[in-house]
Amino acid sequence: MRPLEALLETEDPAWPLVREWLGSASHPVEVLPRDEAAAGAVLHLLQVTTRSPLGAVAYETGGLLVDGGWLRILGGGGPRMRGSLATWNALGPHPAVAATRGMLLVAHDVLGGFFALDGGALGEGRGGAFYFAPDTLRWEDLGRGYSDLLAFFLSGDLAGFYGAYRAAGWSEEASRLSPDQGFSLHPPLWTAEGKDLTQVSRRAVPMTELLALQLDLARQLDAGEA
């Protein structure tokens, strides 16, 4: 593994560019404070440089909260959002979840949706962004890389992306959640009954619980279709 010093880009770092994107974002964004030592450890485990936007977000932030916390972009972790790019991808001594092979989780939302970069498990292994949709329990190809995904999070059409799932009142409730929590929905969105949002109840649960549950359900559905 390359040492941390080799990953810290000094001549052409990506953070000034990311800061420009943050400054011109169409959606409210909160940059969570980082712990420099912890962020350095995360960057070292990821083995990416700060010349990339992914490395810049990992090293310079504790994470990003978009639109009142509806979206959570993973960074180096910290007191406000304990999950980091390292813990969410089972890197280092304290993983948040079991290893998710062949992908890199980079963000999640309050509905239990997860964004990941493909390392071979989701497509051709070229780093393209995918979304694990809670209404289908399937990974959907977004046709973007990390930089385009980050730009979409900050200034894209989130209302169009989520459609009716951003029901009245949900955004306000989302802002009261911890960034490490999401909504457990009953009936779940992937059921026919869950499509009627007036009949859906929700409670706050750890995001790690949502990921484990939904991936397990997806495997069961795949096994049933085989």
Side-chain angles (χ1 to χ4, degrees):
M1 294 179 70
R2 290 177 291 176
L4 176 61
E5 293 73 18
L7 304 173
L8 297 176
E9 175 65 37
T10 57
E11 295 184 1
D12 188 23
W15 181 238
L17 175 62
V18 174
R19 263 195 322 211
E20 286 183 20
W21 294 348
L22 293 169
S24 60
S26 301
H27 309 298
V29 184
E30 181 180 359
V31 180
L32 299 180
R34 67 164 186 156
D35 176 282
E36 184 174 354
V42 169
L43 189 70
H44 183 241
L45 289 166
L46 286 173
Q47 288 290 290
V48 297
T49 76
T50 54
R51 187 174 185 175
S52 69
L54 176 62
V57 171
Y59 186 67
E60 299 289 351
T61 81
L64 305 172
L65 304 184
V66 180
D67 227 0
W70 182 274
L71 267 169
R72 300 77 171 262
I73 302 169
L74 301 176
R80 284 283 309 282
M81 185 163 70
R82 301 188 66 83
S84 71
L85 282 162
T87 60
W88 268 104
N89 291 286
L91 303 173
H94 303 293
V97 295
T100 307
R101 296 179 182 276
M103 67 180 76
L104 184 76
L105 295 167
V106 294
H108 50 68
D109 60 45
V110 297
L111 297 177
F114 293 85
F115 298 84
L117 305 182
D118 176 38
L122 305 175
E124 299 178 354
R126 297 181 179 179
F130 283 71
Y131 178 61
F132 186 79
D135 59 341
T136 64
L137 299 182
R138 294 289 184 270
W139 288 100
E140 301 173 356
D141 189 349
L142 299 179
R144 304 171 184 269
Y146 181 82
S147 296
D148 287 344
L149 181 66
L150 182 59
F152 174 75
F153 287 157
L154 300 180
S155 296
D157 183 11
L158 295 181
F161 183 81
Y162 286 104
Y165 294 134
R166 288 183 59 140
W170 284 37
S171 293
E172 183 179 346
E173 287 190 40
S175 68
R176 295 196 289 267
L177 292 177
S178 157
D180 295 302
Q181 293 179 316
F183 289 131
S184 174
L185 306 176
H186 183 77
L189 296 180
W190 57 271
T191 65
E193 296 82 358
K195 306 302 182 189
D196 182 359
L197 297 180
T198 64
Q199 303 301 313
V200 173
S201 64
R202 51 197 179 273
R203 64 184 178 90
V205 300
M207 289 300 299
T208 51
E209 180 180 316
L210 285 178
L211 179 64
L213 173 64
Q214 293 184 155
L215 289 180
D216 185 57
L217 287 171
R219 284 190 289 267
Q220 293 180 40
L221 290 174
D222 287 341
E225 294 173 359

